Amino acid sequence: MSERRAARPPETSARGIAERVRDGDITAERAAREAFVRGDDARVGPDGLNALLWTDREATLDAARGHATESDFVDRGDLAGVPIAVKDNIATLTLPTSCGSRILEGYVSPFEATAVTRLRNAGATIVGKTNMDEFAMGSSTENSAFGPARNPRDRSRVPGGSSGGSAAVVAAGMVPIALGSETGGSVRQPAAFCGIVGVKPTYGRVSRYGLVAFASSLDQIGVFGATVDDAAIGLQTIAGRDVMDATSADVPVERYVEASGASLAGLVIGRPKEYFPDFLDARIREKCDRAFDAFRKLGAEVRDVSLPHTDLAIPVYYIVAPAEASSNLARFDGVRYGLRVPADGLAATYEATRSRGFGKEVTRRILLGTYVLSAGYYDAYYKKAQQVRTLIADDFREVFASGVHLLFTPTTPSPAFPLGAKADPYEMYMSDIFTATANLAGVPAMSQPIGAVDGLPIGGQLIAPHFDEARMFGAAYALEAALGAEALR
Amino acid sequence: MSTMVSAPAGWEMVVGLEVHVQLRTRTKAFCNCSTEYGAAPNVNTCPVCLALPGALPVLNAHAVELATRAALALGCTVNPMSVFARKNYFYPDLPKGYQISQFDKPLAEHGRLKIGTNAEGTGITVGITRVHMEEDAGKSVHDRYAGATAIDLNRAGVPLIEIVSEPDMRSAEAAGAYLRTLKLILQYVGISDCDMEKGSLRVDANVSARRAGEVKLGTKTEVKNLNSFSNVERALALEFARQTELLERGGRVEQQTMLFDQARGVVRPSRTKEGSHDYRYFPEPDLPPLVLDAGFIERMQTSLPELPEARRSRFAGDYALGEYDVDVLTSSAELADYFEGVARQSGDAKAAANWTINGVLTALNASGDDIDAFRVRPADLAALITLVRDGVVGHSAAKQVFAEMVRTGDRPEQVAQREGLVRVDDDAALRGWIDEVLAEHPAEAQRYLAGEKKLQGVLVGFVMKKSKGSADAKKVNQLLASRAQG
Amino acid sequence: MAVTIDDVKHVARLARLGVTEERAGELVAELNGILGHMAALEKVDVEGVMAADGVGALGMPLRVDSGAPYPLRHPLDAFAPATRDGFILVPRLASHEDASEETE
């Protein structure tokens, strides 16, 4: 499988496609058609990877044709004609937005997410909506109401989650860029499992308007790229202040592609010991050491550091996220949209609709979240968790204030696991141990391939201070170039 | 308002009020939908107030300004940082499944409101516990369709403030005075139209009873469904009577929600079980804390108009008006402004007060118009007062001039000229009218000229009528008298 | 603070989730299993630590009180389960009071 990626022709990169479209070599319509062909070849649909849930080829090709005529600007954009897939929890106007849930099956949003608008304004064509764990709750895409997605590297294994469908369509070569969403690692972990690049920007960097909320204080739209460059182009297009989101930050956005070729001389990269625990797979440790060597050769200093509250991230995360989710998912009541299961009276209709509409994991988390917020437990659970969250954020603040520019860690404690391997919820939750910290602290982080174990990709994670995505991309570009084909071995 | 209800003696009523007020904004609290009242169902809705998946709230700056001004007008300390919270519960007209409100860090706290003066002349004040911002829910219509409840979300997301008082009121009348004072202030400051019929002011009352002299508070009940100030007073009296009778019999008051049933004139327990509410408040993660700097709060403070209490004492002092006049003239900021305009421009506060109360208010009551739309502007009324003072227009003619000004909006000089209402004191003209009147009423003329003096008033009246009030009545009297002697 | 079956039923009711007796029993074990891991938080000293409430402590950006309403590209009746005369319909509630009784 890794041969496919190695053999991926540069003209299917975001930059390559946009250049061909801008030069008039191909039309946007042709670029979209080629994406569908690549998708068919890789069997991304329900009969194969089950990565792509909703597509409408004719409408998509029409839209791509429309793009070419409606606006010169769009035709010259960074993403002119670039086919992009979007996670099913990000609102689009023509394709359904079902969040991988029965409760929203068939729902077509009457408004569009800001990130999607920005992609389209840069010339991109949205080719489909991707499979996900229901309401982004999961780490394997097995919690989708529409069946699990599969990992293109090994179809017996999960692609990770919750944005597993987006990771899979990029890894399968259909599109160079896909949007995902992060709450505790839902972009970085599947990127690591599928051997591609996944970025979670700083909280507030990308508008959440149109991203169906799971845990509002943690959620952030993220970008998958086949390469660092693809991810950089994608993120710089969607980033920036949006008046529709009060948590979107008014911080200038750099052109991340310009970080390519940046020197790492003098850069201090921290190696937090808590991310290299004894139980870490020795082969993953080895791949990380190889990456640290590469950083040193590029002129960076690697420094041992400590983020002492790291092991509390999962307990904190699994209180804060379900608490917010229990409230965010209250709107799915069958009154204004989505599934309604009629029953005798309103209360019974609510219960029938929600118990039929939500899957097991979503139900479990709503109950957990309701419990930790309910009278008598708020202080012990929710408030305490939010206080410890402050300590976790302070860890990052302190380490970055000490002269460390970036942190480098493994993205996950293990490579992609087989479907059905993790039946215990908490064991599944532990997939996020190295990623949830960045969501809790709000700092940007990204995963990129740093090698393979038994043919399964391993991801390495860069973590940066708030809004310092540019420096993070600089290191990612440099590491990608330094590792070259090693990144796949 | 007095009530027919009487409670056993020896008990004291303790009342605290929660008042919800709709802020006078153009758009909703968290989206750009119109707050206009009376639109067709669900016309004023959008992704945000329909709580569509992925929509997010962004707070209306003007709502913050109005809420801050209201808090300052009520003497509150405005918190430099306040936090929005989610109040979670399911109801079909609550689209998100939670209401965005403020909980443990409200906009403002620790205010006070003077609601009157007691017999000893000291002010009665009620403490304001807090003022916080929140959003309204939609409307459920239960009786329109068989088997279904109809939901209209036009009101969902309209900005409100909730004003919570301390349990400082000791009678239903005090509660009424608090509400009237509060409403007047909010109207003065332009926070809200406070129209209870449209639901832009709503009241819930917490009431308990304790033995006179007792310091500890009794168990309270919350009385809801109060749709007018007089019903608040009525319901409080009823509930107090119910509680005290219960306590007298050795019973215990159960903490519960009571509903006022206007039709039957009773309060009855709501069937909602107390304690079944668990709102699971937590900080609203879609909205960062509201940070208000000192400069903003200062600007809001200085932008406050003169409040009713200050205005009342100034009117009494500066214009030497009686209590009744002061009360009437300060009953709305617009009316008070109008009066002051007339008083300043005419230089005659007494006349300005009389004209405003007897002329302007009477005309407004008759037409049902707002004073803003009233055609006689203060400068015109002041001009009329000046005309009267200068003797250009007589008192009775002035009333006709005013009526014509109300009808046409024309200046008083124009009206007086056009309608022939300028006072006539020219002997020749007056003699002419007198001659006509004597000719038209030969019997009265004969008796008068024969010495029946008491008919003089009747004849003067005829002359005034003939002259449409413009004749100088004093001169007409003199001329008639000299005719009788002659 | 072990979760009991009554707790599960209580929160299921608060969350308007129909949970069968059998599933409620399973959930007791599952939630206790998950919350057991949260015990790690009990030992952490958070004396004087601010809760991470309100992301971005810089304050809230506000919206001006004007501008066009946000559009709905598909009308309400294109996605609402039941509408009539512009209203959204839900199963009948006799009154507000009955409604809160029924839904609390």
Side-chain angles (χ1 to χ4, degrees):
Chain A
M1 279 295 170
S2 54
E3 291 86 317
R4 178 193 289 282
R5 186 180 176 284
R8 176 174 293 172
E11 62 266 26
T12 61
S13 70
R15 197 184 284 268
I17 293 168
E19 270 170 17
R20 286 195 294 150
V21 170
R22 285 196 299 262
D23 292 349
D25 295 346
I26 57 167
T27 61
E29 181 192 355
R30 170 79 182 278
R33 205 181 284 280
E34 287 177 0
F36 285 123
V37 170
R38 290 193 301 271
D40 290 341
D41 288 348
R43 292 180 55 218
V44 296
D47 57 338
L49 296 172
N50 196 27
L52 207 53
L53 288 179
W54 323 119
T55 53
D56 182 341
R57 290 187 190 209
E58 284 317 306
T60 302
L61 296 175
D62 278 353
R65 249 194 314 275
H67 253 158
T69 51
E70 89 192 6
S71 161
D72 285 351
F73 171 78
V74 166
D75 222 19
R76 290 199 310 271
D78 272 358
L79 294 172
V82 176
I84 290 182
V86 173
K87 191 177 180 180
D88 196 30
N89 61 348
I90 299 173
T92 49
L93 282 173
T94 49
L95 295 168
T97 299
S98 65
C99 299
S101 181
R102 291 277 172 224
I103 212 160
L104 278 179
E105 191 169 3
Y107 170 75
V108 180
S109 174
F111 73 101
E112 183 176 71
T114 300
V116 173
T117 306
R118 289 183 180 181
L119 289 177
R120 290 198 308 104
N121 287 345
T125 305
I126 308 303
V127 295
K129 301 298 281 289
T130 60
N131 204 356
M132 57 183 284
D133 286 300
E134 184 178 7
F135 286 105
M137 296 180 188
S139 308
S140 66
T141 316
E142 291 169 295
N143 294 336
S144 169
F146 308 107
R150 289 165 187 275
N151 192 320
R153 309 283 174 220
D154 177 345
R155 294 184 181 221
S156 71
R157 290 175 187 265
V158 302
S162 64
S163 315
S166 284
V169 292
V170 172
M174 179 186 180
V175 289
I177 295 173
L179 294 188
S181 72
E182 272 255 4
T183 305
S186 284
V187 167
R188 286 164 289 159
Q189 185 253 27
F193 280 13
C194 293
I196 59 170
V197 177
V199 191
K200 181 207 88 82
T202 309
Y203 187 86
R205 191 48 122 176
V206 175
S207 170
R208 292 185 297 117
Y209 194 71
L211 168 64
V212 182
F214 160 12
S216 312
S217 74
L218 300 161
D219 292 343
Q220 193 65 190
I221 289 177
V223 179
F224 291 99
T227 62
V228 172
D229 196 52
D230 293 327
I233 295 172
L235 182 59
Q236 74 188 18
T237 305
I238 62 172
R241 165 96 181 114
D242 175 19
V243 294
M244 299 302 285
D245 175 3
T247 64
S248 116
D250 195 7
V251 177
V253 179
E254 297 96 335
R255 284 184 63 79
Y256 303 126
V257 292
E258 286 167 11
S260 170
S263 164
L264 301 195
L267 193 75
V268 180
I269 296 179
R271 181 186 184 280
K273 64 177 187 202
E274 291 80 8
Y275 289 71
F276 296 89
D278 293 342
F279 63 80
L280 181 67
D281 187 316
R283 295 167 301 177
I284 293 180
R285 185 187 304 268
E286 196 183 295
K287 303 300 177 196
C288 288
D289 288 342
R290 185 170 70 182
F292 281 121
D293 285 342
F295 281 131
R296 285 193 197 91
K297 282 192 197 121
L298 290 162
E301 177 199 334
V302 174
R303 191 182 291 176
D304 286 328
V305 296
S306 173
L307 298 162
H309 297 95
T310 300
D311 62 339
L312 298 170
I314 293 300
V316 169
Y317 178 83
Y318 279 94
I319 289 171
V320 174
E324 293 183 12
S326 70
S327 175
N328 282 328
L329 270 56
R331 66 185 60 195
F332 302 102
D333 57 6
V335 172
R336 297 164 311 287
Y337 45 79
L339 180 72
R340 178 188 288 184
V341 180
D344 185 21
L346 182 71
T349 301
Y350 277 153
E351 293 202 350
T353 299
R354 289 167 62 80
S355 54
R356 187 88 60 85
F358 291 137
K360 213 168 179 182
E361 180 63 19
V362 172
T363 302
R364 182 158 43 223
R365 292 204 203 181
I366 291 174
L367 292 174
L368 181 61
T370 306
Y371 180 79
V372 299
L373 287 177
S374 63
Y377 301 105
Y378 180 86
D379 284 355
Y381 287 116
Y382 187 79
K383 189 172 175 215
K384 183 75 181 263
Q386 286 286 44
Q387 287 174 307
V388 177
R389 183 177 175 182
T390 299
L391 297 177
I392 290 169
D394 286 346
D395 281 355
F396 284 101
R397 217 165 278 132
E398 281 161 27
V399 78
F400 287 130
S402 74
V404 171
H405 299 110
L406 297 169
L407 301 169
F408 187 79
T409 78
T411 308
T412 60
S414 73
F417 46 85
L419 269 79
K422 305 215 172 184
D424 175 59
Y426 202 78
E427 200 190 326
M428 182 72 87
Y429 298 170
M430 290 301 282
S431 308
D432 299 334
I433 49 171
F434 299 149
T435 48
T437 47
N439 300 81
L440 291 168
V443 294
M446 66 190 287
S447 178
Q448 67 190 103
I450 57 164
V453 169
D454 297 337
L456 296 173
I458 299 300
Q461 173 175 237
L462 284 162
I463 306 174
H466 289 93
F467 300 106
D468 206 359
E469 283 88 353
R471 201 190 310 250
M472 182 172 79
F473 270 107
Y477 270 115
L479 180 64
E480 183 183 54
L483 291 177
E486 298 271 274
L488 307 169
R489 285 198 286 270
Chain B
M1 146 169 179
S2 65
T3 60
M4 299 293 117
V5 189
S6 63
W11 293 91
E12 181 178 55
M13 180 192 291
V14 177
V15 179
L17 295 174
E18 292 168 12
V19 178
H20 286 89
V21 177
Q22 181 182 330
L23 299 175
R24 191 142 70 186
T25 56
R26 205 186 70 71
T27 66
K28 292 185 180 180
F30 299 113
C31 64
N32 263 2
C33 286
S34 169
T35 56
E36 179 204 358
Y37 179 81
N42 294 308
V43 163
N44 294 329
T45 59
C46 77
V48 176
C49 55
L50 288 171
L52 296 186
L56 293 171
V58 181
L59 181 59
N60 184 334
H62 192 47
V64 176
E65 291 167 1
L66 291 175
T68 304
R69 292 172 69 185
L72 292 168
L74 297 173
C76 291
T77 305
V78 174
N79 290 321
M81 192 190 87
S82 61
V83 172
F84 283 86
R86 292 185 182 178
K87 180 181 183 179
N88 295 283
Y89 64 98
F90 282 84
Y91 198 77
D93 62 24
L94 186 73
K96 294 187 291 295
Y98 54 84
Q99 178 195 30
I100 301 179
S101 180
Q102 294 187 305
F103 184 52
D104 55 356
K105 289 170 186 142
L107 179 76
E109 295 168 277
H110 313 306
R112 58 212 310 267
L113 185 60
K114 187 181 168 202
I115 62 168
T117 316
N118 64 18
E120 293 83 50
T122 47
I124 307 169
T125 53
V126 173
I128 307 286
T129 314
R130 56 189 274 149
V131 174
H132 73 248
M133 301 180 70
E134 60 185 33
E135 60 177 335
D136 210 342
K139 203 171 70 182
S140 298
V141 182
H142 303 296
D143 49 8
R144 193 182 171 107
Y145 303 111
T149 289
I151 309 296
D152 174 10
L153 298 173
N154 283 343
R155 212 180 57 190
V158 163
L160 305 176
I161 48 173
E162 180 174 344
I163 301 160
V164 182
S165 87
E166 292 289 310
D168 285 352
M169 287 153 275
R170 295 290 172 266
S171 66
E173 291 70 25
Y178 170 83
L179 290 170
R180 278 181 277 274
T181 309
L182 182 66
K183 177 178 171 180
L184 191 59
I185 289 177
L186 296 174
Q187 287 177 328
Y188 257 62
V189 185
I191 304 301
S192 173
D193 59 15
C194 296
D195 186 338
M196 284 188 92
E197 271 177 34
K198 292 185 194 165
S200 61
L201 187 151
R202 303 195 282 270
V203 183
D204 297 329
N206 290 303
V207 57
S208 62
R210 64 181 172 191
R211 291 265 179 211
E214 173 65 71
V215 181
K216 227 176 115 234
L217 292 173
T219 304
K220 69 180 177 189
T221 58
E222 183 172 25
V223 187
K224 289 179 177 277
N225 202 27
L226 303 167
N227 57 7
S228 72
F229 290 172
S230 51
N231 278 341
V232 171
E233 295 187 31
R234 212 165 138 225
L236 283 174
L238 287 165
E239 174 58 9
F240 180 62
R242 187 191 69 87
Q243 288 186 13
T244 48
E245 276 158 24
L246 190 64
L247 293 165
E248 285 273 332
R249 289 203 313 271
R252 266 185 44 226
V253 174
E254 190 191 337
Q255 181 158 353
Q256 62 184 334
T257 301
M258 307 294 293
L259 297 177
F260 175 61
D261 184 333
Q262 187 181 4
R264 287 191 273 165
V266 294
V267 287
R268 57 184 170 85
S270 153
R271 281 184 282 150
T272 307
K273 285 180 278 307
E274 206 61 35
S276 63
H277 298 287
D278 183 347
Y279 292 124
R280 291 155 284 137
Y281 280 100
F282 73 103
E284 162 60 291
D286 286 331
L287 297 171
L290 177 64
V291 177
L292 302 177
D293 62 49
F296 170 83
I297 296 170
E298 175 73 28
R299 277 200 308 284
M300 291 302 106
Q301 180 80 60
T302 52
S303 76
L304 288 181
E306 187 179 30
L307 298 179
E309 178 66 20
R311 198 155 215 183
R312 245 194 302 271
S313 54
R314 193 166 58 77
F315 276 16
D318 291 5
Y319 299 123
L321 299 177
E323 197 178 320
Y324 172 81
D325 286 2
V326 169
D327 279 351
V328 173
L329 292 173
T330 56
S331 64
S332 86
E334 291 76 17
L335 185 66
D337 287 345
Y338 187 99
F339 157 74
E340 284 221 87
V342 179
R344 286 213 187 97
Q345 292 173 72
S346 68
D348 185 344
K350 189 69 209 163
N354 285 339
W355 274 105
T356 305
I357 294 169
N358 301 319
V360 177
L361 279 182
T362 309
L364 288 176
N365 286 340
S367 67
D369 283 339
D370 271 355
I371 196 159
D372 297 334
F374 192 57
R375 302 183 87 159
V376 181
R377 300 319 302 154
D380 299 335
L381 183 52
L384 178 61
I385 290 169
T386 308
L387 292 178
V388 173
R389 187 175 56 212
D390 294 349
V392 180
V393 172
H395 281 286
S396 68
K399 284 183 186 147
Q400 295 179 60
V401 172
F402 181 74
E404 197 57 17
M405 288 165 73
V406 172
R407 202 176 66 77
T408 62
D410 290 341
R411 299 267 310 159
E413 302 86 341
Q414 273 179 299
V415 173
Q417 287 294 344
R418 189 173 65 222
E419 303 295 322
L421 292 169
V422 176
R423 168 147 38 192
V424 176
D425 58 359
D426 167 60
D427 284 5
L430 294 176
R431 282 204 183 91
W433 280 326
I434 290 169
D435 289 345
E436 284 175 32
V437 164
L438 295 177
E440 286 159 16
H441 304 278
E444 287 85 351
Q446 203 174 1
R447 280 157 60 199
Y448 174 68
L449 295 175
E452 204 174 324
K453 286 272 164 46
K454 65 177 182 196
L455 277 174
Q456 180 164 320
V458 176
L459 292 170
V460 169
F462 287 141
V463 173
M464 293 311 292
K465 196 173 172 193
K466 185 170 279 291
S467 71
K468 292 193 231 160
S470 67
D472 184 335
K474 204 165 143 196
K475 264 195 142 167
V476 173
N477 270 302
Q478 285 169 0
L479 289 170
L480 261 176
S482 66
R483 194 73 73 89
Q485 283 152 10
Chain C
M1 283 193 292
V3 179
T4 65
I5 190 137
D6 287 341
D7 292 334
V8 169
K9 287 177 181 171
H10 174 64
V11 293
R13 196 164 143 71
L14 283 175
R16 300 295 181 274
L17 287 166
V19 172
T20 62
E21 195 72 21
E22 187 193 350
R23 184 73 192 116
E26 293 165 9
L27 279 162
V28 172
E30 289 172 17
L31 295 187
N32 277 320
I34 295 166
L35 287 168
H37 294 279
M38 311 303 173
L41 298 181
E42 285 169 27
K43 291 173 229 125
V44 185
D45 180 10
V46 291
E47 183 70 33
V49 177
M50 291 272 289
D53 295 345
V55 282
L58 296 172
M60 167 154 48
L62 303 173
R63 218 185 76 239
V64 292
D65 184 29
S66 62
Y70 312 142
L72 289 174
R73 303 285 179 205
H74 317 304
L76 182 63
D77 54 13
F79 53 84
T83 58
R84 189 161 159 194
D85 307 334
F87 288 103
I88 300 164
L89 298 189
V90 296
R92 175 66 178 267
L93 304 162
S95 70
H96 254 80
E97 197 200 336
D98 294 342
S100 59
E101 168 70 6
E102 191 186 356
T103 59
E104 285 307 328

